[in-house]
Amino acid sequence: MRLSAINLVFKRLSAITFLNLAVCFPVQAEEAVPATWSHVGYFGLMTEDRVEQFSDGPDWTGNQLVGYALAYDRPLNDFWSVGFELQATYHFGDQSYGEFGLPITIRYRPENPWLRSIEGFAFGLGMSHTTKVPDVEVDTRGESQRNLFYWLLETEFKTKDPKTSWFVRIHHRSDAWGTLEEEGGSNALAIGIRRDF
């Protein structure tokens, strides 16, 4: 019962958030930029740290990850876009298991970034499902479960090819401050490449 109530609240908050974005950043029909699909590949190293501890230098675990995502982005205006990623990730090292994620993404691509090499920034929020309870999460948090919330935080960088970019991101699974029944979570620092098609 508790999980269904949480899911209902999460769905309503997501709908309200993206409705507000659509109202605040309307697309001009005559200048609308078409939506894009992208192939996304990434590789990451798992850490024992919580996000707020990254500034002290990461404490790496014996696990790595490699993944692929099919991404969709629909521009809202010249700077903002919303979309999603269908992620399939393979974790390996001390423990091997699969992870499937579906985050809704918000992207900001400034016209004049403070560093010319920066393409933009992104935040994604959704759900993550693993094929096993991750040992790395049990070791660092004391317990975990297969289904957790997922978010990503990303900085994207330009290349000479306008259809290709590379990025660094935080790959994060979380119980959202005890929202889910069992605590758990993990962080990975990942690097990847995105190719529009």
Side-chain angles (χ1 to χ4, degrees):
M1 181 68 180
R2 183 182 175 194
L3 189 55
S4 62
I6 291 168
N7 285 338
L8 181 61
V9 170
F10 183 78
K11 288 177 184 176
R12 287 183 179 171
L13 286 175
S14 298
I16 290 168
T17 300
F18 288 105
L19 180 60
N20 286 337
L21 283 171
V23 170
C24 294
F25 305 107
V27 177
Q28 302 293 332
E30 63 275 12
E31 299 176 7
V33 178
T36 58
W37 288 90
S38 306
H39 297 290
V40 180
Y42 50 92
F43 170 79
L45 301 173
M46 303 289 292
T47 80
E48 296 178 357
D49 304 301
R50 296 181 183 270
V51 173
E52 64 271 15
Q53 298 172 320
F54 281 168
S55 59
D56 299 330
D59 293 321
W60 306 111
T61 69
N63 267 57
Q64 300 85 43
L65 61 85
V66 61
Y68 168 81
L70 182 63
Y72 173 84
D73 278 299
R74 181 184 183 276
L76 296 174
N77 61 19
D78 291 340
F79 309 109
W80 294 92
S81 67
V82 295
F84 62 85
E85 284 190 6
L86 295 170
Q87 300 175 341
T89 306
Y90 177 67
H91 294 254
F92 60 98
D94 290 344
Q95 182 190 22
S96 297
Y97 59 94
E99 178 187 356
F100 301 95
L102 178 58
I104 304 298
T105 57
I106 300 172
R107 294 191 176 279
Y108 174 64
R109 291 187 168 121
E111 186 175 358
N112 296 304
W114 54 277
L115 285 177
R116 289 187 179 185
S117 61
I118 290 180
E119 178 77 11
F121 305 94
F123 175 75
L125 178 64
M127 296 300 291
S128 166
H129 171 79
T130 56
T131 57
K132 298 177 184 176
V133 175
D135 288 343
V136 66
E137 296 178 359
V138 175
D139 292 344
T140 58
R141 303 291 193 270
E143 59 183 345
S144 191
Q145 58 188 33
R146 293 170 61 189
N147 297 311
L148 289 176
F149 288 104
Y150 169 85
W151 62 255
L152 66 86
L153 187 63
E154 178 182 291
T155 302
E156 186 179 7
F157 299 90
K158 298 177 181 178
T159 67
K160 292 181 180 179
D161 182 349
K163 289 191 171 187
T164 305
S165 60
W166 67 277
F167 59 84
V168 292
R169 73 166 48 164
I170 297 172
H171 180 101
H172 176 80
R173 275 173 42 92
S174 171
D175 66 333
W177 299 286
T179 304
L180 300 180
E181 191 167 336
E182 293 186 39
E183 293 186 4
S186 59
N187 291 297
L189 294 177
I191 186 168
I193 189 165
R194 176 177 290 101
R195 172 75 178 171
D196 295 344
F197 65 92

